[in-house]
Amino acid sequence: MKTLILTLLIATCLAGCNKEPSSSDAVPKTAAPVHDVAWYLEHEAEHDATKRRCKANPGALRETAECINADQAQKQIFVWGREEALRRSREGH
């Protein structure tokens, strides 16, 4: 009985070793550069595209620097408006 349990335990442990990474686990070979908040304030179309991409896959992307910076830019736009947020980012506020 002990041999059977030990064999099953080893087989279970080894079964996880051969798992192929899924497409969501794989890191792209050519990752896009991470843009800061000020960049997203200045590039409205790219900001919108990034927000859509982050919203479409929040489980995988929510904690990435790209989504965090785009979200922070959106918060600044909400509070001050795009022009005022741009002015503040240029002045370093």
Side-chain angles (χ1 to χ4, degrees):
M1 182 67 170
K2 288 182 183 180
T3 306
L4 177 62
I5 292 173
L6 184 60
T7 304
L8 289 174
L9 181 64
I10 291 172
T12 303
C13 290
L14 292 176
C17 293
N18 291 330
K19 180 182 176 250
E20 291 292 321
S22 66
S23 61
S24 63
D25 293 341
V27 176
K29 293 184 192 306
T30 56
V34 175
H35 301 293
D36 63 6
V37 174
W39 188 90
Y40 283 114
L41 292 171
E42 293 177 6
H43 298 87
E44 187 173 359
E46 291 87 351
H47 181 220
D48 291 340
T50 300
K51 288 188 313 181
R52 281 192 302 275
R53 191 170 45 257
C54 294
K55 187 176 181 181
N57 193 358
L61 301 176
R62 181 181 321 150
E63 300 301 323
T64 63
E66 178 183 36
C67 291
I68 291 169
N69 291 347
D71 186 52
Q72 185 62 36
Q74 183 61 39
K75 289 176 183 176
Q76 290 180 15
I77 291 167
F78 179 78
V79 171
W80 297 309
R82 184 172 295 277
E83 293 304 315
E84 179 65 14
L86 268 168
R87 186 186 68 74
R88 288 173 173 255
S89 74
R90 289 177 182 143
E91 292 177 358
H93 291 158

